[in-house]
Amino acid sequence: MAESDVIGDSYHMGKRIFVVPGMENVRAAFQTLRWPDYMICALTLLCSMVIGIYVSFFYTPVTAKEYFLGKKKLKIIPVGLSICASFISGFLMIKIPTDTYLYGIQHVYLIIGFIAMTLVMNHIFLPVLYRLNLTSVYEYLEKRFDKKLRLFGAVLYIIYMLSWLPLTICIASTTFVSVTELNINFVTPVLCTICIFYTSLGGLKAVIWTDVFHMVIIFASLLLITVKGTLDIGHIDVIVDRNLQSGRIEGPNLNLNLSETNTLWTSVFGGCMYYLFVSAINQNVMQKYLALPSLKDAIKTSWLFVFTLCLITMLCTYCGIIIYAMFHQCDPLTTKLAAEKNQVLALFVMKVLSEYSGMSGLFIAGIWSGTLSSWATVLNSVTAVVVEDIYTIFSTTQFREKQWSILLTKFTSIVLGIICACLAYTVNNVDTVLKINSIIFSVTGGPSLGLFIMGIMFPWINTKIKLLGCFHRRNIFFMFHGLVNFQYVGRQ
């Protein structure tokens, strides 16, 4: 779509004169998805369901443990791609390009944190957890300490994941709605229903193979918009020059001020600790490592995952600098072409790809693929934690070895999916919910990571010391301090 299609000639900006039309005209101009675009989105959802049906038809788990670990016969490449697909999520596919467009390329230095995290995980956490033959990572806390700490860790994990899932589905729905005339109240339940269907039907194996399909869609969509965007602007040199002039392409920020967000130190050390939580002791990721036949395969898979993640991060960052090069004289947020920052990427996609039927739909399918992968993985892993760490603890029989346990497991997966779908309707303001989610992560992630670090690296620490550390009055103070600080920031 040409710039003149939505912008007139009376608004002064640099050497050119533009007119900002009314919001209704702008939205109508950019709601240009055609029937091939809708067909590609629909086919993506249909293929996800078909994969779930196919896996469940040829692979029938008998017990809950087989449902969650795929009989420990999974392969390196599918699991590595699945971990990356679920890790990215549609949220990160939107956030990284948007933040790069607004603030610069500091996100790319998180790659150093990824590598550092993988080294630590492969030498400290993964060998210990894999050799214990676990289904849930929180079983380790009972083996090392007692059931109380196992239950404590499981509850922290469930709280965080139930607060994060609605955010991911809402952002994916919002992106689609911003370029169509469909209502978000229609898109959200459709995505949730399909995800619940194939996740509950086929278990971990269905999740992994749908993730592989979704990863192909994600790569294709990112390559499409980066290549087409580069060709539209003319040359990579033009993109680099425009971003250099604005300071968006810059070296690592070496500022030692701890209150500053995007510095090399926060990317390396903060990123390493954050990704240790979401990879090394998080049920989402560790469950897939535990489903591999050997520790050697798990270590190889971790390196495949981090390589793929670094590649996706660089593609998303490059997409962000292309967006700036495209809109450097006409900021969509200033001219109100985009109602909020999360719509900038969708606006760019419609501008670049709208002349080709089906291409915009492929990118929307990529966003949906990241969201479905994250949703399916979290739904399956939260179900595993509920079954293994809640039901099993309070059950007087060997629950997970019973054949009827598979029925209760699938029922639990459906119920949890419905709860998360309902919670998605509570997300009215994405930025506010993201801040709340960050606070919940700080409150739950820190104690969880601390439990595993002290359990693995400090053998003299006992249960009483652990609980005192988690509930020390200073930790309670910092938790409330974070909440007060959030309220203060929200008023600014």
Side-chain angles (χ1 to χ4, degrees), residues 59-361:
Y59 166 75
T60 305
V62 177
T63 64
K65 188 167 185 176
E66 292 181 0
Y67 180 87
F68 294 128
L69 296 181
K71 297 183 180 180
K72 293 182 76 72
K73 294 181 180 180
L74 301 176
K75 304 299 182 182
I76 293 174
I77 293 178
V79 174
L81 294 178
S82 173
I83 294 172
C84 189
S86 60
F87 198 88
I88 295 167
S89 77
F91 171 66
L92 284 183
M93 286 183 66
I94 296 172
K95 180 175 174 56
I96 294 177
T98 302
D99 283 359
T100 302
Y101 168 73
L102 294 173
Y103 311 117
I105 66 166
Q106 290 298 322
H107 268 293
V108 79
Y109 299 112
L110 282 172
I111 290 175
I112 304 174
F114 297 156
I115 297 172
M117 173 273 296
T118 306
L119 290 169
V120 174
M121 180 181 70
N122 287 346
H123 287 85
I124 297 176
F125 293 94
L126 194 53
V128 173
L129 297 176
Y130 187 89
R131 287 169 180 151
L132 290 174
N133 193 30
L134 308 174
T135 301
S136 165
V137 293
Y138 302 104
E139 291 179 58
Y140 167 78
L141 297 178
E142 181 179 356
K143 293 178 182 292
R144 174 64 174 83
F145 300 103
D146 60 17
K147 288 184 178 180
K148 290 181 291 186
L149 278 178
R150 177 181 179 179
L151 186 61
F152 175 69
V155 169
L156 289 180
Y157 169 78
I158 293 170
I159 290 172
Y160 173 62
M161 284 301 144
L162 291 183
S163 71
W164 182 76
L165 272 183
L167 181 66
T168 61
I169 201 74
C170 178
I171 289 179
S173 300
T174 301
T175 302
F176 184 72
V177 168
S178 67
V179 293
T180 67
E181 297 178 354
L182 295 178
N183 191 291
I184 194 170
N185 293 327
F186 169 77
V187 177
T188 297
V190 169
L191 291 178
C192 293
T193 301
I194 291 173
C195 186
I196 293 169
F197 174 79
Y198 74 77
T199 302
S200 60
L201 196 63
L204 181 64
K205 199 164 187 177
V207 170
I208 285 176
W209 283 108
T210 50
D211 284 351
V212 172
F213 167 70
H214 292 154
M215 198 66 200
V216 173
I217 301 295
I218 290 170
F219 263 119
S221 62
L222 287 175
L223 286 173
L224 176 66
I225 61 171
T226 52
V227 171
K228 182 61 168 60
T230 302
L231 293 175
D232 283 0
I233 292 173
H235 202 277
I236 293 178
D237 291 344
V238 178
I239 297 172
V240 173
D241 287 342
R242 290 176 181 176
N243 281 272
L244 283 173
Q245 291 172 10
S246 67
R248 278 167 175 77
I249 296 180
E250 55 186 347
N253 184 352
L254 301 178
N255 193 335
L256 295 176
N257 185 357
L258 297 179
S259 64
E260 190 165 343
T261 303
N262 294 318
T263 68
L264 179 64
W265 320 116
T266 57
S267 296
V268 175
F269 300 110
C272 179
M273 297 304 292
Y274 171 79
Y275 290 112
L276 271 178
F277 168 73
V278 297
S279 296
I281 62 136
N282 193 298
Q283 180 69 17
N284 302 0
V285 176
M286 192 54 65
Q287 182 178 339
K288 295 178 181 179
Y289 288 131
L290 297 174
L292 289 160
S294 68
L295 176 60
K296 186 177 180 180
D297 286 349
I299 292 174
K300 289 180 180 178
T301 301
S302 71
W303 285 113
L304 174 61
F305 155 60
V306 77
F307 171 78
T308 311
L309 181 61
C310 291
L311 183 59
I312 292 290
T313 301
M314 289 188 288
L315 275 174
C316 288
T317 302
Y318 181 62
C319 180
I321 67 174
I322 293 176
I323 295 173
Y324 179 78
M326 179 74 69
F327 293 131
H328 73 291
Q329 289 185 330
C330 182
D331 177 25
L333 296 173
T334 303
T335 59
K336 303 301 181 182
L337 290 175
E340 57 182 42
K341 65 180 183 180
N342 291 320
Q343 295 179 1
V344 171
L345 179 60
L347 184 73
F348 167 75
V349 170
M350 297 306 300
K351 179 176 175 61
V352 170
L353 300 178
S354 60
E355 59 185 296
Y356 302 101
S357 296
M359 295 298 97
S360 298

Side-chain angles (χ1 to χ4, degrees), residues 68 135-136 283 287 379-389:
F68 294 128
T135 301
S136 165
Q283 180 69 17
Q287 182 178 339
L379 184 57
N380 183 263
S381 59
V382 170
T383 303
V385 170
V386 171
V387 171
E388 295 291 323
D389 300 309

Side-chain angles (χ1 to χ4, degrees), residues 49-61 71 197-198 200-203 205-206 410:
M49 295 177 64
V50 169
I51 292 172
I53 295 171
Y54 178 85
V55 171
S56 65
F57 183 78
F58 288 98
Y59 166 75
T60 305
K71 297 183 180 180
F197 174 79
Y198 74 77
S200 60
L201 196 63
K205 199 164 187 177
K410 291 183 177 182

